[in-house]
Structures are given as C-alpha cells and as structure tokens.
Amino acid sequence: MSQTFDQCTEVIQRLQVAVRNLDATVAAFELKKLEQREWYELLERKLKPQLGDESFLVVAVVGGTNIGKSVVFNHIAGGRISSTSPMASGTKHPTVIVPDGFTKKVDLNELFPGFVLSEWKEADQALALDDRHLLFWQENKATPQNLVILDTPDVDSVAEVNWERADHIRQSADVLIALLTQQKYNDAAVKEFFRKAAQEDKLVIVLFNQCLLPDDEQYWPLWVGTFCKETGVKPHAVYIAPNDRRAAEANELSFYERPWPISPGTAPESYDHVSRNLLNELSQLRFGEIKVRTLRGALKHLIDPQLGIPSWLHEIDKRSHEFQEAMELMGTQRLVEIERWPTLPNKVMIRQIRQWWAAQREGWQANVHGFYNRIGQVVAYPISALRGKQDESESPLELYKKQEWETVLDVLDRALERLTWMRDLGNPLLSPRLEKILSGASREGLIKRIRNEHEAIDFEKQLKKMIEKSLAGFREESPESYKMFRRIDSVAAAARPVVSVVLFVSGAGPLGDMIAPVVTDTALQGVLHVAGEAVGGTVVTAVGDKVITEGASSGAGYLEARFRQLHATFAQQRAAWMAHQLESQLFGSLPHELSESSQVSQSAEFKQMRSLTDELTKLVRQIPMTD
C-alpha cells in the first residue's frame, strides 16, 4: 500500500499540471468553471496537499473518560506533553501538537474549523472549564513533519458541549485512534460517536488499553468484536496495551499489534509479542497505507465517471465536436464567391516588366537603350502634355484601384449577408459568436477601416515586387526564350535610330502606354508589323489591353503564358489581401477559435489528461474498499 501511495502522489502531481493546461486550452468552451466542480476542490484542497511532499496525517486519540487518552497521546507525540492523572479529571478542550514550523505553512483555522485557537503553554490549560470551543496548539521539534496529533475531550462526558467538540474533531481528523477498555468498549456514548465515524468512512485504529496480560488475550477479541458489531467500524489495525501505570507515567508503555479479524482457531501463543512504537507506526511504517486509505473517498470521487474528471473530459469531447460541426457549417456554406477580380491594365504590367528587363541589360546595350530612352522622353513631352490637356482622368493604376474598391464593397456586402443568414440558423455555438461580430462593429465603421487599409496600399511597389519575384527564375526556366530576348534586344539596340519612334508610338517604346490610346488600332497593327520587320525577329508586344503574339514560336508562346501568369498571380495576391481583411477586420479570431476548439479532443493536453485519469483509475482499484 505504501507503494500505491507513492504512485498516487506522483500521478496527482502530474494530473494537477495537466488539468491547468487543458483548462487553458478550453477557455472558449464556456463550460462550468473548475472552481465550481467538487472533484477539482478535492484535487486542490485535499489530494494535492495530502499526497504531496508535505503531506501529513491528522491523528486524533478518541475515547471515554479516564481510559488513558493523554497517555497514548504522549506516546504518539514522543514526550510528556499532555497532563496525565489517575483521577477522572478529563480533558475539556482538544489539544494539538504540530511539527516545528508547521503553522507557517498551514492555516490551523482552516484545518480545524469551528474552534477558537490558542497557543498551548501549560499542560493544564485543556482541563479548564470554558463554554467556548477552544483548541490549544503547540509546535514540537520531536513531532515528525507528517503528523498532527490531537488529544480530545471525553466523548462520554455528561457535558453536551464536549460532544460538539468531539464531533468537530472527528470531522477534521484523518485517523481516529479508538481507545477502548473493558469498562468503556460497550458504552452507549462511545458507540454513538464511532457509529458516526463509520458512517463517514473514517479510518479507525483500535487500541485496547489496560489489558491484564496474558489473561485478557482470550477476551479482547470478544470485546473488539462486540464494539465493531455495534458501531459498524472496520478497524484498519488493532493494538493492545497492558495495564501498567508505571510504564504509562514514564512514557514507556508497550503496544502490541494483533491481527484483525482473527482467523478461527488462532491461538494466543501465535501472537507477536514485540512492542510497537506508535509514533513510528503512524509516521513511517503505516503512513503511506493510511494516507491512501484516508483519501480513498476523494480518489474515488476524482475518477467517478459521472462526477469526476471523466465527466469533465466527456463535456470537453462533446463540445469539441460541436465546434467541429460549427466549423463545417461555415466551411460548407461559401462565405463569398468572387467570380472575377479586376484585371490590372496590361499597360501597367508592361511598364513594370519593361523596367525589370531594363535592369537585366548589360554593357553597350544598356548604354544605347538608356540614351535613346532619354531622347524619347524629350520627344514625347509635347504629346504627353497635349494628352494631359485632352484627358485629365486618372491614370490606369488609379482606375484599377477604383475598380478594386468597388469589388471590395461587393465582397463585403455579400459576406455580411451570408453571415446574417448563418447566424439565423441558430447553431448554439456559432450564432452567438456571429451575433457579436455583426452587432459589434457597424457597417460604416467596418468600411472605413478597410478603406483606410486600401488607401495605404502602394500598388506600384507591390507589382514591382511580384514581377521581380516571378521573373527571377526566367533565365533558368526558359533559357531559349531568355537568349531570344537577349538577341532581339541587341538587334533593337543596333537598329534603334531607325525604329525608335515607331516602337515609341506602337506602345513598345518607353512612353508607349501614354501615346498608344491616341493612335487607331489599324494604324497600330501596321506599325507593329513594321516594328517586327525592323528588329528582324518574332516579338510579343502590347497595345491597349490586348496581348498580341507575332509568330508561333515556342519562345513567344512561353512569354505570352508568362504574361498571363503574372496577371493571375497579382489578382490572387489582391484577393488574398481581401480575405485577410475579412479575417482581421470582420471575423477577428473566430476562424482560428473554431479550428483550434474543434481539435481539442485530439490535442496532446486532452490525451495526457485521459491517460493520467486511466492511470489513476488503475491505482485506485488497487486500494481495498473495506478494511
């Protein structure tokens, strides 16, 4: 049993940490708080301290008048602490001996409710008459750190107040030393007290005192049997002590352990006649088994399927599945379907690609192109100024930004409409959370926040970064296309004085995006053919919002596919931005909460709790349910 105590101690310590970890994980489950659960109170207030490294036993010596309670008390305490007398003076108030430094760790008022505590300075204090429920305490260096020892009022006293005090002691004690004698074992008041103790499942050790040995060896089993039958007590152990006044006064009384219940035919000669030290018996030899036995009820409650930890785990598992159902409801009902995200104008994309390609040029090619680009800007200035007067509307990028904002508003409206519908379905977990989302932030406030985020976006910077990342592997992915572009670029540089204006007007030049809209499509088509012939090869170029492939070479096809892929990538990035806004500005932590909560029953914290509960259940089943 001592091994079981050590194992229970180790499991309880791990269990306490696991309970806190799992409780933190299920904070969003809205279950009854741990502090409102009886099993948790038992774990924190009883099992944790009583099975920890600083666990202790509250041992109360209980019995009738003038049967040697104080003598036994002194033997357990390890010295003459309580006053003893052959006269029937009787202890009026309980006295308690605690280990040195004990009161700094444990609140005696919590340990002994119902008493007025006072420090014990004189042995006769407990004999004084006083209607208050006094309890005198004293620290003693000789007392083991795991024992708290009580001397109690007579349970057969004519003073009813003593009965109340004895009841308070019985409720506070872990172990009751039932001190009996031939004169008191069948006393009505004594039997009533221990009858209550049996009903409360208190651990009782019977000590039959003042025996005439060896003559009473044949009689004490009958006396103890009668006491047990009348009270319902099942002794955890039985000791007998001889009637030896001198040894009692000298604190040298012998205590002999006796088997109980006695097997039929057991002869007194077979009994062990080695005297036991009650102090060592309680603090060392029997401590583990007594502790487990005294905590048996609390341990059983802890693993009870309907009242203990298993019921809590069942609640968590059930709620986790409810979160799973709520998440599936949101997952199966598409919140928003974006049929078509606005497409970035080709001219904006081409300008960024052109800038990226310019950065790839090296040596004389870079110098030639740079020189003529600067000349082109000077030549194009009058045309650009003329266009500025004719068309003062926004730039293509600004127009795209407006189109995207209209799409954002449409997405937001549909999202709110869908959330309202899901809220009205009445899912017990999802509906109140959606109600909080829909009522917590007005539509105007939500639009304003997202609008501020949208206005702060640097589209030019995002596009440049995307193109640089997407085309970074161009040379490695399609070396033939890359070489072809290099050759075209070389020829174009050599022929630049002839075709620069043509390319400029057609949209292939540095400011073509600005000039192209003022030239007719027919004229542009003719110019493109001229440009193609001038550079002497196949080329992909852009006019307005059309991508035109000249020739059917694989290199040109690759470039066209690459161009379309860039558009798709940019649109995906912008749609992802909108999804992020919905999550951060509208949903908040809801998606994450649903996802995390739905997986709790599969989490490491939950599995550890279940494993520790199973381990504790096996240990508790090893504890005898009867003594």
Side-chain angles (χ1 to χ4, degrees), residues 509-529:
L511 298 179
D513 293 337
M514 299 175 62
I515 300 173
V518 302
V519 183
T520 65
D521 286 348
T522 303
L524 285 175
Q525 290 290 349
V527 169
L528 285 173
H529 284 292

Side-chain angles (χ1 to χ4, degrees), residues 151-167:
D151 191 10
T152 63
D154 305 324
V155 296
D156 61 346
S157 171
V158 294
E160 293 186 10
V161 69
N162 276 11
W163 303 348
E164 296 178 27
R165 293 166 185 165
D167 285 341

Side-chain angles (χ1 to χ4, degrees), residues 537-609:
T538 305
V539 66
V540 176
T541 187
V543 181
D545 291 334
K546 297 179 180 178
V547 177
I548 301 174
T549 303
E550 295 296 335
S553 71
S554 60
Y558 172 82
L559 294 172
E560 180 178 5
R562 197 70 155 141
F563 186 78
R564 294 183 184 279
Q565 184 184 34
L566 290 174
H567 271 292
T569 301
F570 187 76
Q572 289 170 356
Q573 288 183 358
R574 300 306 307 140
W577 174 86
M578 185 61 210
H580 173 72
Q581 292 302 312
L582 287 176
E583 181 176 356
S584 61
Q585 303 289 355
L586 182 60
F587 292 120
S589 61
L590 179 60
H592 179 75
E593 178 187 338
L594 292 178
S595 176
E596 290 291 314
S597 298
S598 67
Q599 299 174 33
V600 165
S601 60
Q602 302 300 320
S603 67
E605 292 83 359
F606 186 87
K607 291 178 179 178
Q608 184 186 30
M609 272 298 306

Side-chain angles (χ1 to χ4, degrees), residues 31-249:
L31 302 175
K32 186 170 69 173
K33 293 182 178 180
L34 286 178
E35 292 73 12
Q36 299 173 332
R37 299 175 184 271
E38 187 177 352
W39 66 261
Y40 183 74
E41 288 296 301
L42 288 173
L43 176 63
E44 287 292 310
R45 297 183 179 276
K46 192 174 184 68
L47 293 171
K48 174 193 169 185
Q50 291 298 296
L51 281 175
D53 294 335
E54 297 182 353
S55 61
F56 57 88
L57 286 174
V58 179
V59 180
V61 181
V62 185
T65 305
N66 202 32
I67 59 173
K69 292 193 304 297
S70 295
V71 170
V72 174
F73 172 83
N74 288 337
H75 277 75
I76 297 175
R80 281 184 56 82
I81 297 172
S82 184
S83 177
T84 61
S85 170
M87 305 300 292
S89 56
T91 299
K92 303 297 188 297
H93 303 282
T95 54
V96 57
I97 295 296
V98 299
D100 190 38
F102 186 81
T103 54
K104 295 179 181 179
K105 299 178 292 184
V106 179
D107 187 348
L108 294 182
N109 290 290
E110 291 186 2
L111 195 59
F112 301 107
F115 287 100
V116 177
L117 276 75
S118 179
E119 189 171 1
W120 188 17
K121 298 180 180 179
E122 299 178 5
D124 292 337
Q125 279 180 278
L127 305 179
L129 293 173
D130 196 313
D131 291 336
R132 294 176 299 168
H133 294 337
L134 302 178
L135 188 149
F136 297 98
W137 64 271
Q138 182 183 92
E139 290 189 352
N140 183 15
K141 293 182 179 180
T143 302
Q145 288 295 315
N146 59 357
L147 288 186
V148 172
I149 310 162
L150 279 158
D151 191 10
T152 63
D154 305 324
V155 296
D156 61 346
S157 171
V158 294
E160 293 186 10
V161 69
N162 276 11
W163 303 348
E164 296 178 27
R165 293 166 185 165
D167 285 341
H168 287 323
I169 290 296
R170 185 186 66 249
Q171 293 163 4
S172 299
D174 294 317
V175 182
L176 297 175
I177 305 293
L179 196 59
L180 306 176
T181 64
Q182 183 180 354
Q183 293 76 27
K184 293 290 183 178
Y185 76 90
N186 207 23
D187 183 271
V190 172
K191 289 190 295 184
E192 179 61 23
F193 175 88
F194 283 103
R195 193 172 290 120
K196 292 179 181 178
Q199 293 171 355
E200 295 170 2
D201 197 29
K202 287 291 181 180
L203 188 145
V204 178
I205 293 177
V206 170
L207 198 163
F208 218 96
N209 196 25
Q210 299 176 0
C211 293
L212 297 175
L213 298 179
D215 297 346
D216 286 344
E217 287 282 14
Q218 58 183 320
Y219 300 113
W220 71 260
L222 300 176
W223 300 332
V224 171
T226 300
F227 169 78
C228 293
K229 181 180 179 180
E230 293 290 327
T231 61
V233 168
K234 296 179 175 61
H236 186 75
V238 173
Y239 296 88
I240 64 173
N243 187 5
D244 188 337
R245 183 183 300 173
R246 184 201 61 78
E249 292 292 329

Side-chain angles (χ1 to χ4, degrees), residues 424-497:
D424 296 340
L425 290 178
N427 182 281
L429 286 178
L430 199 55
S431 291
R433 286 167 169 79
L434 292 180
E435 177 64 32
K436 185 177 180 181
I437 288 175
L438 293 170
S439 63
S442 66
R443 184 178 184 277
E444 292 76 13
L446 181 63
I447 291 174
K448 183 178 180 180
R449 292 194 301 274
I450 297 180
R451 179 68 171 175
N452 291 337
E453 293 289 333
H454 194 259
E455 288 293 331
I457 297 171
D458 188 338
F459 283 86
E460 196 86 36
K461 184 177 180 180
Q462 283 194 5
L463 180 58
K464 180 180 179 181
K465 185 177 180 180
M466 185 270 293
I467 288 175
E468 289 176 348
K469 182 178 180 181
S470 298
L471 298 182
F474 181 31
R475 180 186 303 190
E476 290 75 17
E477 292 176 12
S478 183
E480 293 301 320
S481 297
Y482 185 83
K483 290 177 182 178
M484 180 193 71
F485 247 56
R486 296 280 295 183
R487 288 195 300 271
I488 293 172
D489 204 37
S490 300
V491 175
R496 190 64 179 265

Side-chain angles (χ1 to χ4, degrees), residues 330-368:
M330 287 196 70
T332 56
Q333 303 295 329
R334 290 181 179 270
L335 186 64
V336 178
E337 292 186 57
I338 305 174
E339 296 177 359
R340 186 175 183 274
W341 194 266
T343 303
L344 190 71
N346 285 336
K347 59 187 69 178
V348 178
M349 181 74 73
I350 291 169
R351 183 169 64 248
Q352 286 295 335
I353 295 175
R354 201 176 286 134
Q355 291 175 3
W356 172 83
W357 181 253
Q360 313 305 310
R361 294 189 179 112
E362 299 174 353
W364 68 273
Q365 297 176 18
N367 293 331
V368 171

